[in-house]
Amino acid sequence: MMIKAQVNDVVNWIIKKSEDDGQPVTPKKLQKMLYYSYAWGLVFLNESSNELDNKLFDTQFEAWVHGPVVPSIYRQFKSYGYGPIDKNIEYPHFDEETTKILNDVWEAYGHLNGDQLEYVTHQELPWRKKREGKQPGSPSDEKLSDADMFEYYGAQLI
């Protein structure tokens, strides 16, 4: 298995990028940007859903009420609530391929706020599939499927 980066380095990249673009990132937006980075990483780093050995970073997303979430990252930034994350950091160093994926995801989704990104994830199969049969406000620790992400987002390229 090839893991390109550490999840906390990608978190720091997203925070720094949002700060540089004058769009402070909230915990909700951070989670969704992290999710899209991971999902698109699966698409760009693998050939098929049968062999998803290459990942941008190693983690699992859960189908929470407000969309895909990495619980450990949620706990790390929970104190910011709905406010912007104010953390003085430098860009982590990544290889060219990782940087390209992160920049592409930022170009596609970075202009959206956390609520807009939540709305988008709620329309998409990977999250919806794991929320089937659950009440809208009920908690869930169902893990999103890497194969579902690969298939769903990969089909968007066609």
Side-chain angles (χ1 to χ4, degrees):
M1 179 181 289
M2 179 185 66
I3 305 296
K4 304 282 284 176
Q6 297 298 312
V7 67
N8 282 311
D9 288 337
V10 175
V11 163
N12 287 338
W13 187 95
I14 293 167
I15 293 169
K16 181 66 174 159
K17 181 71 171 172
S18 67
E19 178 186 290
D20 287 355
D21 281 8
Q23 303 175 40
V25 69
T26 62
K28 186 188 289 190
K29 180 172 180 173
L30 174 63
Q31 288 284 350
K32 305 314 166 250
M33 294 302 294
L34 197 58
Y35 168 72
Y36 283 121
S37 299
Y38 181 84
W40 283 105
L42 290 173
V43 171
F44 293 127
L45 297 172
N46 295 281
E47 298 295 321
S48 80
S49 61
N50 296 328
E51 296 180 32
L52 295 173
D53 294 333
N54 302 316
K55 298 179 181 185
L56 198 58
F57 50 89
D58 192 24
T59 197
Q60 285 199 299
F61 287 84
E62 295 182 359
W64 285 24
V65 170
H66 295 288
V69 170
V70 176
S72 63
I73 301 301
Y74 170 80
R75 288 188 296 276
Q76 190 176 341
F77 293 99
K78 180 181 179 180
S79 64
Y80 289 96
Y82 293 103
I85 296 170
D86 182 21
K87 188 176 174 194
N88 189 9
I89 53 167
E90 298 297 318
Y91 277 112
H93 295 286
F94 297 123
D95 64 29
E96 190 175 320
E97 185 176 40
T98 301
T99 302
K100 178 168 180 15
I101 291 168
L102 292 173
N103 277 316
D104 288 350
V105 168
W106 186 263
E107 284 295 313
Y109 301 98
H111 65 285
L112 300 172
N113 67 34
D115 291 335
Q116 292 167 321
L117 288 165
E118 175 183 347
Y119 177 81
V120 175
T121 61
H122 284 198
Q123 309 312 305
E124 298 172 336
L125 176 97
W127 180 84
R128 289 179 56 187
K129 188 172 180 181
K130 294 301 179 178
R131 294 292 304 180
E132 278 178 10
K134 292 182 178 37
Q135 294 298 316
S138 68
S140 171
D141 60 0
E142 288 277 335
K143 309 285 189 269
L144 273 66
S145 159
D146 286 355
D148 286 347
M149 286 182 240
F150 179 90
E151 294 292 337
Y152 180 82
Y153 296 106
Q156 309 303 310
L157 296 176
I158 298 170

